[in-house]
Amino acid sequence: MATKSNLLVRVLPAVMLVLSVCCVAAEYNTTLDVGDAAPDWGALVGTDEETYRLSDFGDKELIVVVFTCNTCPVAVDYEGRMIALQKDYNAKGVQVVAINVNTNDGNDYEAMKVRAAEKQFNFPYLYDETQQSARDFGATVTPHVFVLDKDRKVAYMGAFDDHRDESKVENHHVRTAIDQLLDGKTPQVTETRQFGCGIKYHD
Amino acid sequence: MVRLPLLRRWLLVGLAMSCVCGILACSGAGVSSSDQEVAIELTTGGMAELQQIVDDSQGKVVLVDFWATWCSPCRKQFPHTVELHEQYADDGLVVVSVSMDDSEDPEIREQVLGFLTKMGAGFSNLISRHGDSQQAFEEFDISALPHYVLFDRDGKRHDLTSPDPAKPVTTEILDQRVAEYLDR
């Protein structure tokens, strides 16, 4: 009996530790955790009328998936930063992929084409009217960013940076995570609070 | 010859009547507009200021409406928040609005105040000290707008969600939850 309870005393904390490590949910995402394999969004059509799969970007070092939309003023404020990111990191093998899952007024495919042309997006802007991709990623707002590493595991998720007003940004979360990943390191900050407009999920 | 002055007289009477009516209508409108013109105040604050309001409302239910001028669903549902205030203030509901707009921009502050005045938001109105930064969302522990929080009569916080947490909270859900917490 004594040995049995001793064993329990010894083993139980270990079991609990393993359980707690394996099952800790992400702080701001109830669906996906850092280190999880990126969900496959299947084939989504972009504003350039091309179809894009996650596997199409096999040659890229990192992928930055941004759930965004045409109408959320916060998301719109980040469009310029997404373009700059693609431009600055293009040569380093970083690929921005924007996905819009909102289907309310101003977010249809035609309106997306107009926006992509107006702003001269230098990255694919995909339309997912099924909204499945955002559900699988656990995206809750626009903009909501997921940096995928070379193995296409989530390496960082959350906000693009820490201020909607670009002139007031102090922490460039996504750029910092990318720099660290390209250096072969694990990002110091792997998750931050996403903020913006709630994604308008269907019934 | 005789008819004309008569007609004039009637015209005069008609004119006088319409003037009186006009004045009455005007004064009527004046009364109702002054009735609606509640002095709206906008206070810069954060979680500490919000918590202070909750603490000061001990024994009451506090509804917090997190909104922003840039959030169209928030603006759309705001009149409902005002209605809840008018309907349930006597039953112990305290309503607070928190604008997640840039509090340092005087123009935006004007817009916020203008909207609140138009809505007749005769309750405590805060504007986020840290504007619409990540820090502000972090401070209030929210991510998406619109967002509603209820503090029950014991001051315990309940973030309102819809049955599918991914979906926004509708005015129907808001009504149900407010009624539920007021009855407790």
Side-chain angles (χ1 to χ4, degrees), chain A residues 30-44:
Chain A
T30 55
T31 308
L32 208 61
D33 204 351
V34 171
D36 285 352
D40 182 0
W41 63 69
L44 292 176

Side-chain angles (χ1 to χ4, degrees), chain A residues 171-198:
Chain A
N171 294 298
H172 299 267
H173 302 309
V174 168
R175 282 179 179 253
T176 306
I178 288 173
D179 288 339
Q180 290 167 347
L181 284 163
L182 291 174
D183 263 1
K185 298 173 192 150
T186 304
Q188 270 179 323
V189 177
T190 53
E191 190 187 9
T192 67
R193 178 185 295 272
Q194 65 275 19
F195 64 97
C197 312

Side-chain angles (χ1 to χ4, degrees), chain A residues 97-117:
Chain A
V97 178
I99 304 179
N100 183 6
V101 302
N102 279 336
T103 57
N104 55 326
D105 270 1
N107 280 309
D108 55 285
Y109 182 56
E110 290 309 313
M112 285 173 61
K113 277 183 174 177
V114 171
R115 173 62 53 79

Side-chain angles (χ1 to χ4, degrees), chain A residues 162 164 173 192-193 202, chain B residues 70 132 134 141-143 167:
Chain A
D162 68 358
R164 182 183 162 193
H173 302 309
T192 67
R193 178 185 295 272
H202 304 151
Chain B
W70 48 261
D132 44 11
Q134 190 180 29
D141 196 14
I142 64 170
S143 282
K167 283 188 210 138

Side-chain angles (χ1 to χ4, degrees), chain B residues 17-32:
Chain B
M17 290 271 288
S18 63
C19 275
V20 169
C21 287
I23 288 162
L24 277 174
C26 281
S27 63
V31 167
S32 70

